[in-house]
Amino acid sequence: MNFIGLIYYFVSVLSIALYVASVQFKSKKNILVTQFFASMCYLIVYLIKGAYSGAYIEVLEEVKDIVFIKYEKKGKNIPLAILIVFIVLLFIVSIIFYDGILSILPLLINIILFISTYYKNPKYIRWVMLLSGLMWGIYNIYVGAYVIVIGNILEVISAIIAILKFKDVDNNFDKKDMMK
């Protein structure tokens, strides 16, 4: 195995570990910070594989995470206009780097993910991770990132565990918001 192959496997395993661990945090801020570092790893994997649509969307994901983390730190709601700007940018990147019907998957996945991270309650991130793990699995098979597919399976399992683990916390979060 060459040096690039070693980097691919190391970064793949690290990205899997970070993304799987991300939804096991209670706070949205910690989820986003962990997912930011996972996205950096995924970016490297997609660049190695030549999956430029996925790579550019990962860059956009990282920028979105930075912006959303800043709002979380301040305890402020994320303006809807910011979410819309990121979704429009997703469409632009997807059109520029379109390379077949399956290159649309990163667009769809990230629109759903972006919307889930827009909401304060982290339960939406956990539920969407369940769906996105399956969708990313299809994309990763398409681009030949087979090690990451194992991670996608683990993401789905981790999301299920987190949904069950934080069920009461997330439901109380909703009740607290309704009382305001």
Side-chain angles (χ1 to χ4, degrees):
M1 182 180 303
N2 64 21
F3 183 68
I4 298 296
L6 287 172
I7 291 172
Y8 166 75
Y9 282 106
F10 174 76
V11 174
S12 294
V13 170
L14 182 59
S15 64
I16 291 166
L18 288 169
Y19 206 67
V20 166
S22 70
V23 291
Q24 296 303 321
F25 291 104
K26 188 188 250 186
S27 80
K28 180 180 166 188
K29 185 185 91 170
N30 290 340
I31 291 171
L32 290 175
V33 168
T34 308
Q35 286 184 354
F36 170 80
F37 289 108
S39 287
M40 299 228 354
C41 294
Y42 281 127
L43 171 63
I44 294 167
V45 168
Y46 291 139
L47 288 174
I48 290 171
K49 287 295 186 182
Y52 299 112
S53 175
Y56 285 104
I57 287 178
E58 286 299 332
V59 169
L60 195 52
E61 171 80 22
E62 292 165 13
V63 173
K64 185 263 316 169
D65 283 344
I66 290 169
V67 171
F68 283 22
I69 289 166
K70 288 186 185 268
Y71 277 92
E72 282 300 311
K73 282 183 178 178
K74 294 177 182 178
K76 294 184 176 181
N77 289 333
I78 301 159
L80 182 59
I82 290 177
L83 175 65
I84 292 169
V85 166
F86 278 112
I87 290 173
V88 168
L89 290 172
L90 277 172
F91 273 104
I92 291 169
V93 167
S94 295
I95 290 167
I96 292 171
F97 294 100
Y98 178 83
D99 66 354
I101 194 71
L102 281 178
S103 68
I104 300 293
L105 268 177
L107 168 67
L108 297 174
I109 295 165
N110 279 289
I111 287 172
I112 295 165
L113 285 169
F114 281 26
I115 292 170
S116 74
T117 57
Y118 171 77
Y119 292 100
K120 280 247 179 244
N121 191 335
K123 86 173 176 184
Y124 300 110
I125 298 170
R126 296 186 240 286
W127 278 100
V128 166
M129 192 161 157
L130 185 66
L131 174 64
S132 70
L134 297 170
M135 293 172 72
W136 273 123
I138 294 166
Y139 179 76
N140 289 323
I141 289 169
Y142 171 69
V143 300
Y146 300 114
V147 173
I148 299 294
V149 174
I150 296 166
N152 298 132
I153 294 165
L154 294 173
E155 289 167 22
V156 169
I157 293 167
S158 180
I160 291 168
I161 291 168
I163 289 165
L164 296 172
K165 179 178 172 183
F166 294 112
K167 184 179 178 182
D168 292 338
V169 172
D170 291 342
N171 289 339
N172 287 337
F173 194 103
D174 283 339
K175 289 176 187 171
K176 203 169 37 174
D177 280 352
M178 287 181 190
M179 291 179 172
K180 289 183 180 179

